[in-house]
Amino acid sequence: MAGIRNSQDQAFAIVQKMAAEQDIPIMEVRAKFRDERASIEATEAAVELVDIVKKKYPELYDTKSHLLNGYNSKYFSTLIVNLGTRNGNKWLESYRWHRTHNWVKRDPITELQQAIDMKATKLPQYLKKCNECWLLGGVDEWTAPKAIRFSSQGFEHVFRCSFSRAYFLRNIEGKLTRLKLE
């Protein structure tokens, strides 16, 4: 997946350069890939994305976000576009073209408990080398094909865990939350 994410990141870097060269107004474009796990050709994807936005631009106005879909695209399924102004006031100083995150599940308590349980099978081996073990789990939403999100209510859940402490890292925000344990 790292190679695929690299190609996607390269495509967005190319897009931003192309947008500046073609005098496309500053805007934020969040793009969802048709298949997050498929290899892409970065330059071809960049050209495709710029072409879609250029064709749709005359229909856009600055009072809201625009959800763009229904176009024939090899690489992208949906775009969310925000112009660099809102009601005529400039709010964006530079281009922001990036992938949109595909939140597949909010508060996936069952999945996190399963991950804790699976890791707990290794705890006796770990404790042979130390007196106490802490567990860190999380998702790197910058590189994961699908991400999760915990709400404050989700973090109120009490997890079954043999580790002394357990934490959940939301890498995209750099936010570390200590889990409640029984």
Side-chain angles (χ1 to χ4, degrees):
M1 288 306 298
I4 291 170
R5 292 290 167 259
N6 238 0
S7 295
Q8 291 173 350
D9 291 342
Q10 286 176 1
F12 289 117
I14 295 167
V15 161
Q16 290 188 158
K17 185 177 178 188
M18 289 174 62
E21 289 171 351
Q22 296 180 30
D23 291 324
I24 295 173
I26 290 175
M27 64 181 69
E28 177 185 43
V29 178
R30 291 175 282 166
K32 181 176 183 318
F33 286 93
R34 210 166 270 295
D35 182 352
E36 294 283 337
R37 295 182 167 273
S39 296
I40 68 164
E41 200 293 307
T43 302
E44 184 180 29
V47 168
E48 179 181 85
L49 185 54
V50 168
D51 286 347
I52 293 167
V53 171
K54 281 173 58 174
K55 286 177 188 167
K56 296 287 187 175
Y57 181 75
E59 303 167 24
L60 307 180
Y61 44 95
D62 74 350
T63 58
K64 68 175 195 161
S65 296
H66 296 273
L67 178 66
L68 306 181
N69 51 26
Y71 43 79
N72 186 18
S73 169
K74 179 177 178 180
Y75 294 110
F76 303 98
S77 64
T78 306
L79 306 178
I80 300 170
V81 178
N82 287 298
L83 299 182
T85 59
R86 180 69 72 199
N87 296 318
N89 298 313
K90 186 176 182 178
W91 69 274
L92 190 60
E93 297 295 324
S94 59
Y95 293 105
R96 287 188 197 163
W97 296 62
H98 51 93
R99 79 176 54 83
T100 188
H101 298 287
N102 185 16
W103 305 115
V104 294
K105 190 156 188 182
R106 184 176 179 175
D107 296 332
I109 291 167
T110 302
E111 291 84 347
L112 183 53
Q113 184 63 61
Q114 289 171 346
I116 291 169
D117 293 344
M118 189 172 68
K119 199 66 174 174
T121 63
K122 298 181 179 187
L123 186 57
Q125 293 171 338
Y126 299 153
L127 289 173
K128 290 178 182 176
K129 297 181 180 185
C130 61
N131 296 330
E132 181 178 84
C133 289
W134 296 3
L135 179 65
L136 172 64
V139 174
D140 184 353
E141 292 91 346
W142 291 115
T143 59
K146 295 184 179 178
I148 61 174
R149 181 172 175 262
F150 271 92
S151 67
S152 56
Q153 294 89 356
F155 282 127
E156 289 301 313
H157 181 80
V158 178
F159 292 91
R160 292 180 325 277
C161 184
S162 304
F163 289 85
S164 300
R165 293 185 186 185
Y167 295 88
F168 183 83
L169 176 64
R170 182 136 189 260
N171 191 44
I172 199 166
E173 293 176 334
K175 184 176 180 182
L176 184 67
T177 303
R178 187 172 177 178
L179 300 176
K180 293 183 178 184
L181 306 176
E182 62 176 38

